Every structure is written in C-alpha cells, then in structure tokens.
Amino acid sequence: MKFFLSTLLALSLVPALGQSLPRREANPISPQVEAMYAKGLRFLATEQQANGAWIGRYSGEPGVVGLCVLAFLAHGEDPNHGPYAQNISKALNYILDKQKASNGYIGNSMYNHGFATLALAESYGVVDDPRLAPALSQAVELILSAQKRNRFDAWRYTPDSHDADTTVAGCQIVALLAARNAGLAVPEEAIEKGLAYLKRCRSAQGGIGYTSPSGEKPTLTAIGVTCFALAKKKEGKGFATSVEYLRENLNYRDKYYPYYFEYYMSQALFHADEELWENWNAKNIRYLGASQGRDGSWPDSKGKHFATAGALLSMALNYRFLPIYEK
C-alpha cells in the first residue's frame, strides 16, 4: 500500500493507543434531554434491519448508517457489551461491507464516504473489531487521493470530481480530523489545503457560500466554523466574523436540511463560544422536544432515520462522549 502502510503497522502494534470514550464532565444532563435521546435511540434500534441498515430512500446509505452509529456512541453506549452493542456492530458491518476493496471507497458518493469514515474513526479504539484499522486507513487514503486530483484541493460528489463545494469538503475535513484524533498520520498539508478552500468561500461578512463567497448561508457557515474549530484554527479575523455571523443567525432554521444544520450548528457553537452554544442549545432542546414523534423519531423529507440521527447528534454535546467533541 501507499502512504498508510506505516500507519497500519503502527495501529496493529499499539492498539491500546487508540482512542477511548472519555467520561462526561460532571455537568448534569436534564431529564428532558435524556428522555428524548433515549427515546430516539430506541426508535433507531427498533427500526434497524438485520443487515445493519435502515429502510428508506436514504436510510440504507452508508453515510446515514454512519450517523446512526455516531448517535449511539455519542450517548456513551458500550459498543461491545451494552444494550445497543449489536446495533452498533451490525451497522459497522454494513459500512465495511459497502467499502470497495480496490480503493477503500464507501458507498456511491463522497457524502456517504465522509460520514462513514467519520463513524469508523470514532469507532476505532472503542469497538473491539480488528477490521476497523485497515478499513479506516484505506478510507482516509481515498479522501487524500481525491483531494490530490481536485483542482481546488478540496472535494465534491465523487473521488474523481475536479470541482468542489463546502458541504462535501467540510464532511471530508471533519473525517480527516477525526482519523487524526484516532491516531492516523493525516498530513497537515491536506488539512491546510481543505481549510484554504473554505476560506476562499467565506464572505467579508463571515458567511460561507456553497462554491464561492456569494450566497452564504448559516448551514454552510456552521460547517466551516466546525472545521476550523476542530482543526484548532480559531485565531484571526475570519473565524471571528464567521462566529459573529452565526450569532446573528441564532434563530435560523434550515427549511430544506433542518437536522443537517443542527448537527453542524451545535458543534460550531460549542467549539467556538460555549456560552453562545448554551443559549442555542436551550432553544434547540425546546424545538426538538416539540417536534419529536411519539415513536421517538423526527420527521424529514430525507427520512426519519437521517433526521433522528442528526437531531440526536445536535444534542450530543450535552454528553460529550465522542472524541471529536473534545475541546
């Protein structure tokens, strides 16, 4: 293999150095949040199929399955012996089954690949499965090779895309950062080039657009702020103006991708300004409490399983179990 041969060897020699689920700080979880989260997990567990995926137009996509894995782990569920261990195991089996042996590509789009890679990265070190290390390494190498072929040093819908957009790019950057956090030797240059693309799509007002600074939106800006914050690149006027842009849009709700927005907005605010996050989080809990169905799900045109995973993950900072949520 190429770049990751040395990484694979290191991972195989020192598995104990992988990440582990950190203990949540001694901040109390409100009964409302716990009840909502537990109800949402029960819905996902009940609806999961024998093959590890869920039924629906998008629910069988590896990226959605990956988000569901993250929703379980973000609650601090024991992935090896806990009540949802089999759900996590089946979902990871599904993701691994969808990975192409030839190049490590997971699914049929870089959206799927990015979120599935993130799930592998967050599972590595806490899930007792020796297949995760080589699968994660191959998945990361696919992201890096796709970036090298891209004229913007970023990503779009396929590994061979020559154009780019901030949603796909943000997904890959977060996956790379999670993999690096898990112990893989992700080149800093790859992170820097990905962030440079996001900077080029940032307007003077701090908002981030889809493929350029024009048409900036809170959802896209939240993606960018999340990436810069997780990369520990929070200095400078650009980051501050983006955070201010989000502050000015604190009551925004994305009409088309509501739970995708919440998933990123929660991370962006938590890492950028915890007091601001606490303000938004209180409003988000009320919003989610009013919109959660009796079966524990949240409705969305992209499917209940995608929506439920996104909604749960938007509350997951209250628990702070996932390594990617560490400050």
Side-chain angles (χ1 to χ4, degrees):
M1 291 180 70
K2 304 173 185 176
F3 170 79
F4 281 97
L5 241 183
S6 59
T7 302
L8 268 174
L9 179 60
L11 291 176
S12 65
L13 291 176
V14 287
L17 294 182
Q19 60 196 13
S20 60
L21 286 174
R23 289 185 178 274
R24 180 177 56 81
E25 298 173 12
N27 55 318
I29 300 298
S30 75
Q32 181 185 11
V33 169
E34 176 58 25
M36 291 163 60
Y37 210 111
K39 194 174 179 181
L41 288 187
R42 285 196 297 270
F43 167 77
L44 292 179
T46 300
E47 292 269 308
Q48 189 181 30
Q49 302 301 297
N51 68 352
W54 283 262
I55 293 178
R57 181 179 177 185
Y58 300 101
S59 300
E61 299 287 352
V64 174
V65 175
L67 289 172
C68 290
V69 168
L70 294 172
F72 284 109
L73 294 178
H75 191 246
E77 298 298 331
D78 183 338
N80 301 302
H81 307 292
Y84 294 121
Q86 286 300 311
N87 300 99
I88 295 169
S89 177
K90 287 193 298 182
L92 289 173
N93 282 337
Y94 184 82
I95 291 172
L96 294 172
D97 185 62
K98 294 299 179 181
Q99 185 175 41
K100 293 181 175 61
S102 59
N103 62 1
Y105 191 33
I106 305 173
N108 57 5
S109 76
M110 289 302 287
Y111 275 121
N112 278 308
H113 184 85
F115 285 120
T117 300
L118 176 59
L120 293 179
E122 296 298 284
S123 298
Y124 170 71
V126 299
V127 177
D128 185 14
D129 189 333
R131 299 174 299 167
L132 294 181
L136 175 59
S137 295
Q138 198 176 17
V140 170
E141 186 171 349
L142 185 282
I143 296 175
L144 295 175
S145 63
Q147 183 186 37
K148 291 176 181 177
R149 290 191 293 271
N150 189 283
R151 64 191 179 98
F152 293 102
D153 294 320
W155 302 266
R156 208 169 194 187
Y157 300 131
T158 73
D160 298 315
S161 296
H162 295 294
D163 55 350
D165 71 59
T166 53
T167 59
V168 179
C171 183
Q172 311 313 310
I173 292 170
V174 172
L176 290 178
L177 291 169
R180 185 171 71 178
N181 193 41
L184 275 72
V186 176
E188 181 64 24
E189 181 184 17
I191 303 296
E192 293 289 349
K193 286 182 176 180
L195 294 177
Y197 173 72
L198 296 181
K199 286 181 182 178
R200 295 196 296 272
C201 294
R202 184 166 55 200
S203 71
Q205 292 72 41
I208 292 177
Y210 185 52
T211 58
S212 70
S214 63
E216 67 266 31
K217 294 181 179 179
T219 300
L220 305 175
T221 308
I223 292 172
V225 169
T226 298
C227 290
F228 283 104
L230 292 177
K232 313 299 183 186
K233 306 290 184 182
K234 298 193 286 186
E235 301 80 14
K237 182 180 178 181
F239 182 83
T241 56
S242 290
V243 174
E244 186 59 30
Y245 178 90
L246 292 181
R247 185 191 303 274
E248 293 171 357
N249 287 277
L250 210 59
N251 295 319
Y252 174 83
R253 293 291 173 183
D254 195 303
K255 180 180 179 180
Y256 301 103
Y257 304 98
Y259 303 103
Y260 187 65
F261 161 71
E262 289 169 24
Y263 166 74
Y264 276 114
M265 186 67 159
S266 61
Q267 297 177 73
L269 297 180
F270 178 79
H271 288 287
D273 186 328
E274 192 164 348
E275 183 177 347
L276 190 60
W277 169 77
E278 289 176 354
N279 184 356
W280 181 86
N281 182 56
K283 295 178 181 179
N284 187 50
I285 291 170
R286 290 195 294 271
Y287 170 76
L288 293 177
S291 56
Q292 186 176 27
R294 295 181 63 182
D295 62 356
S297 70
W298 279 269
D300 187 72
S301 61
K302 304 299 181 295
K304 285 186 175 182
H305 309 105
F306 170 77
T308 300
L312 293 177
L313 287 168
S314 77
M315 293 190 292
L317 274 307
N318 290 279
Y319 296 92
R320 306 175 197 181
F321 277 113
L322 285 184
I324 198 67
Y325 288 156
E326 294 178 16
K327 281 185 177 292

